[in-house]
Amino acid sequence: MPERQRKTIHHLLAEARSGLDRVAPAELAGLMEAGSSPEGERLRVIDVRPHEDRERTGIIEGSEHIGLLVLQWRLDPDSGASQGTAAGLDDRVVVVCNQGYSSSLAAGQLQQMGFVRATDLDGGVEGWIEAGLPVVPPLRA
């Protein structure tokens, strides 16, 4: 039987991040204030954290919530499951999680799906807060 090559989570994370132009908290704050990236792409900041984490630490105002487990389905215009949340392949999509690990993996997958400007927030919401940037309570459904 041929020997299988195993990739650890650290390998997968390094691979994902090698293709990302990760965004620092202050840079993302500036992009959000401008409403688009310097190249003119539509900016989408997507918080993939579970409800409990969003309640505990707050959210980045202007971000939208799409759960990590359905992110790729909701953004892919060809999935049949986008429910009005599909992204354009040229949109600047910035994925946000707690610390910037899950978001890196998700952004790497989005790039593989053709979202060439997908990336993530370096340090996640925790990095955002450490940079002194504001969070707000999530809206109640």
Side-chain angles (χ1 to χ4, degrees), residues 19-116:
L20 300 178
D21 181 16
R22 301 185 79 209
V23 180
E27 180 184 0
L28 180 58
L31 290 173
M32 292 179 79
E33 189 174 311
S36 65
S37 74
E39 295 79 20
E41 299 99 351
R42 180 176 167 213
L43 176 66
R44 296 203 41 197
V45 179
I46 301 176
D47 188 336
V48 297
R49 297 176 301 145
H51 176 74
E52 297 79 21
D53 289 343
R54 293 163 48 79
E55 281 285 324
R56 181 176 46 82
T57 58
I59 63 169
I60 297 170
E61 190 169 17
S63 66
E64 57 187 293
H65 180 251
I66 301 176
L68 183 60
L69 294 177
V70 296
L71 177 67
Q72 292 81 357
W73 294 99
R74 296 289 187 261
L75 291 188
D76 189 340
D78 298 319
S79 72
S82 64
Q83 301 174 345
T85 59
L89 295 177
D90 293 326
D91 287 355
R92 177 72 181 238
V93 176
V94 181
V95 184
V96 178
C97 69
N98 281 322
Q99 297 178 328
Y101 296 100
S102 297
S103 59
S104 290
L105 294 170
Q109 285 183 332
L110 290 174
Q111 282 193 351
Q112 290 175 358
M113 294 171 61
F115 295 95
V116 295

